[in-house]
Amino acid sequence: MTAALVAATEGMRVLLVERAAQVGGSTARSAGTLWIPGNFSMDEAEACADVAAARLYLDNLVGERSRAELRDQFLRCGPAMLQYLRRHSIVHFQACPKHTDYYPDLPGAKPGGRPVESQVFDGRKLGPHFGALRPPLPEFMIFGGIMVSKADVDKLLNVRHSFANQRHAASLVLRFAADRLLGYGRGTRLTMGNALCARLLRSVLDAGVTLRLDCEVTRIDQESRASRALDLRTPEGPHAVHSKRAVIFAGGGFSANPRWRETHMPKPTPQHTAASDSNNATTMELALGLGAVLGTPREHNAWWFPSSVVRRDDGSVGVFPHIVMDRAKPGLIAVDTSGRRFVNEGINYHEFSLAQYHHGAVPCWLVCDARFIRRYGLGAVHPGGRSIDAWVRKGYLKHGNTLEDLAGQIGVDPAGLRSTVERMAQFAATGIDVDFAKGMDRVSRQNGDAANSPNPCLGRIDTAPYYAVEVAPADLGTSLGLATNEHAQLLDAAGQALAGLYACGNDMNSIMGGQYPAPGTTLGPGMTFGYIAARHVAG
Ligand SMILES: Cc1cc2nc3c(=O)[nH]c(=O)nc-3n(C[C@H](O)[C@H](O)[C@H](O)COP(=O)(O)OP(=O)(O)OC[C@H]3O[C@@H](n4cnc5c(N)ncnc54)[C@H](O)[C@@H]3O)c2cc1C
């Protein structure tokens, strides 16, 4: 949608083809955060210094895994992309001053300010197109339809402590009630990735882009250098169109293609994805048929969330990503089948899942006690404790009145689990996790509980009953994609640009080389190269 919006703004006639019945893909269910060093929250001098520092950070973290000129292009154009969208559309962002880079000890890392997130959006402004927007994950909504931002969550978790928080909670519920009365199936106060997609959709329509839903390109034939004939599958039957200037592939990667998953993901091949079920590599396969090639595969060609599997009431299967809400909090441990910990539970999601792979802990168990789950929730179980029994009945949560009982339920060595819990009690008292340093790094401290001392991430596990949920890596998106140059043009096997063919988003080989430097690692470059591609087509 970014590429379409920019191309239309630059005066081109744009056809946006969406395979699913709704736009939004994975982005609509994401947190909607973009990592853009040197963004609008900084003055000019600060922004220049930040871009230089971010270059150093990526050189250290990513290094030879991707081409430096692509990273430089991203760093140069990211802030310009945000400014362009602010000027020409309603795709507006706010800075996230507290979102730290995920490897804070590397040179060039920044403790906050590089990520930006979409401003909240009133979905009613989409008018009749509200239904054309893919909804967020049901597990990310409360009361069956209210979207909450990270700021909302903080207020709701502390609702008892402040009148302002109570007023905010009441306003969310009243707004939802009004939406339902007006006939909306879900709340129209949109946050995170859903707000981002809604803003893009409104802007795309306003810019005059022709949007075709439930439509797919089935064949592309070269006519002349940059002109191509495309066959479309549409609800009304086959349809042919001609593209005079360019085709931009933006199908979101291969998360939903079992064959590609088997070939390009590590073993055991993850069974689930948190990404959109319509991102099945069909766009990339079309591009490969036109002479494009893939980038260099890496050990992990995807980014990971440790995720639990939810059997929903309607029989569908949901994937719940354990991003920031539970793992770092005090009183939770992750254990393998020996009952031992293997990782700092509070580190970033991608790194946590890498540790699962390296340690052979796929799946592992997140274990906590009754006090923890009431206070913080656990995965899809919201804080407050009202729904715990229902989650136990569904089989999502395992529980036991003793640690040994719980260990038996989850197939974990009981002596190992007891000794780990006793060891954690010592760490909670001293505030020092001698084994994995949980709560001693910026990332886990940020997601811990500041009110807990001496360490915001360390707590005892001693209040029966005890609970556990199984987690395994599920991809949030795939990082192996089509090789491009710095203009987002597809490359052939000889490294030559293919005229009029571009890629962006997860169809483009990631400039991060499979690393996950910060919140917003995929959407930042994804939108930036969408902007770059459209500007390049426009000359
Ligand atoms: C819960 C969650 C939270 C996340 N949070 C963040 C975050 O905050 N920041 C971040 O950077 N990343 C985040 N991610 C990852 C991020 O959402 C994805 O990497 C990103 O959305 C991919 O964008 P995209 O444009 O490539 O694909 P998408 O947004 O998935 O869009 C691709 C679209 O192409 C369509 N399509 C596919 N094939 C075809 C075809 N053949 N013809 C026509 N259309 C087709 C799809 O239906 C889809 O609508 C998160 C992911 C999840 C699951």
Side-chain angles (χ1 to χ4, degrees):
M1 285 200 279
T2 307
L5 171 58
V6 175
T9 308
E10 295 296 315
M12 283 175 273
R13 280 179 63 205
V14 183
L15 173 66
L16 175 55
V17 174
E18 168 56 63
R19 167 171 192 266
Q22 293 167 309
V23 295
S26 303
T27 311
R29 54 173 58 175
S30 76
T33 309
L34 280 64
W35 191 66
I36 305 286
N39 65 53
F40 53 81
S41 68
M42 307 170 204
D43 65 30
E44 209 177 319
E46 231 183 310
C48 277
D50 189 48
V51 165
R55 182 174 296 122
L56 180 66
Y57 179 58
L58 292 181
D59 287 349
N60 275 283
L61 180 66
V62 179
E64 298 298 311
R65 294 185 185 92
S66 77
R67 285 171 48 210
E69 61 266 35
L70 291 184
R71 303 200 296 264
D72 280 352
Q73 178 81 324
F74 160 64
L75 292 171
R76 209 171 20 242
C77 297
M81 178 272 294
L82 295 179
Q83 274 169 20
Y84 186 99
L85 294 180
R86 170 157 279 281
R87 237 190 343 265
H88 296 289
S89 76
I90 60 159
V91 185
H92 295 171
F93 296 90
Q94 62 206 18
C96 306
K98 291 189 184 153
H99 287 25
T100 175
D101 289 346
Y102 284 153
Y103 300 87
D105 297 332
L106 282 184
K110 194 171 161 89
R114 286 176 177 161
V116 300
E117 63 186 357
S118 170
Q119 292 179 4
V120 172
F121 184 68
D122 182 350
R124 292 174 299 198
K125 292 187 180 155
L126 287 174
H129 303 288
F130 184 71
L133 176 67
R134 193 181 271 257
L137 289 172
E139 289 76 24
F140 279 8
M141 294 190 281
I142 56 172
F143 300 130
I146 305 182
M147 282 208 78
V148 285
S149 65
K150 285 169 232 157
D152 296 327
V153 170
D154 287 343
K155 290 179 182 161
L156 294 176
L157 284 177
N158 294 299
V159 74
R160 294 214 184 95
H161 307 306
S162 122
F163 179 62
N165 290 351
Q166 286 162 17
R167 211 171 41 201
H168 184 70
S171 77
L172 292 181
V173 173
L174 285 174
R175 167 71 183 268
F176 181 49
D179 286 336
R180 295 309 299 265
L181 283 174
L182 288 170
Y184 290 101
R186 64 183 174 104
T188 60
R189 177 185 176 271
L190 307 181
T191 66
M192 303 194 291
N194 218 247
L196 173 59
C197 285
R199 286 179 175 276
L200 280 164
L201 175 58
R202 181 70 272 166
S203 302
V204 156
L205 295 170
D206 290 347
V209 170
T210 303
L211 170 63
R212 294 301 308 261
L213 297 175
D214 210 354
C215 180
E216 194 171 12
V217 180
T218 52
R219 199 177 129 137
I220 305 182
D221 285 329
Q222 185 98 19
E223 290 185 316
S224 62
R225 191 165 175 273
S227 154
R228 290 177 179 88
L230 290 84
D231 291 340
L232 303 183
R233 170 194 62 75
T234 79
E236 299 82 35
H239 187 70
V241 290
H242 292 268
S243 148
K244 290 208 191 95
R245 309 272 293 261
V247 178
I248 302 180
F249 295 94
F254 64 85
S255 295
N257 185 314
R259 195 166 44 80
W260 280 60
R261 291 176 75 82
E262 195 60 38
T263 309
H264 298 296
M265 287 186 175
K267 304 285 180 270
T269 307
Q271 292 182 8
H272 298 286
T273 177
S276 162
D277 57 4
S278 56
N279 297 3
N280 64 352
T282 41
T283 41
M284 293 208 280
E285 285 173 350
L286 281 171
L288 294 176
L290 293 167
V293 292
L294 291 177
T296 309
R298 304 287 163 200
E299 188 192 354
H300 289 254
N301 294 312
W303 301 284
W304 307 113
F305 282 143
S307 305
S308 48
V309 174
V310 177
R311 311 268 160 204
R312 299 191 183 118
D313 293 341
D314 64 4
S316 62
V317 173
V319 175
F320 188 93
H322 295 246
I323 306 178
V324 293
M325 293 295 288
D326 51 18
R327 287 181 293 110
K329 297 288 188 302
L332 177 145
I333 50 172
V335 296
D336 61 12
T337 46
S338 72
R340 309 275 174 197
R341 295 171 69 215
F342 58 94
V343 69
N344 167 356
E345 292 84 350
I347 54 172
N348 77 72
Y349 31 88
H350 180 63
E351 199 64 37
F352 182 101
S353 298
L354 292 184
Q356 284 194 266
Y357 271 113
H358 291 153
H359 188 79
V362 178
C364 72
W365 293 89
L366 303 184
V367 174
C368 68
D369 68 5
R371 188 176 41 193
F372 179 99
I373 203 166
R374 276 199 303 272
R375 173 85 181 97
Y376 306 114
L378 180 63
V381 185
H382 293 151
R386 277 189 307 276
S387 59
I388 292 175
D389 291 345
W391 286 107
V392 171
R393 280 197 300 279
K394 279 187 201 175
Y396 177 76
L397 275 184
K398 302 291 179 198
H399 79 143
N401 286 326
T402 62
L403 286 170
E404 287 71 17
D405 182 8
L406 180 70
Q409 306 251 357
I410 60 179
V412 160
D413 175 47
L417 181 62
R418 174 153 299 279
S419 120
T420 302
V421 166
E422 285 170 3
R423 198 165 164 74
M424 178 49 81
Q426 292 167 20
F427 299 162
T430 59
I432 297 173
D433 171 7
V434 174
D435 293 340
F436 295 102
K438 186 182 182 192
M440 299 163 77
D441 61 293
R442 190 183 288 277
V443 177
S444 57
R445 288 181 86 82
Q446 199 169 62
N447 295 322
D449 181 350
N452 189 73
S453 67
N455 182 320
C457 304
L458 301 180
R460 297 172 68 88
I461 301 174
D462 60 4
T463 309
Y466 301 94
Y467 295 94
V469 70
E470 183 179 315
V471 296
D475 61 293
L476 60 93
T478 50
S479 53
L480 174 69
L482 301 163
T484 70
N485 64 15
E486 67 274 25
H487 306 301
Q489 281 180 298
L490 299 189
L491 300 177
D492 65 15
Q496 296 301 312
L498 292 164
L501 295 180
Y502 296 79
C504 60
N506 293 350
D507 272 3
M508 174 182 162
N509 194 46
S510 171
I511 61 161
M512 300 304 180
Q515 302 294 102
Y516 209 94
T521 289
T522 78
L523 288 171
M527 290 183 64
T528 302
F529 280 99
Y531 160 82
I532 290 169
R535 297 272 302 210
H536 194 257
V537 179

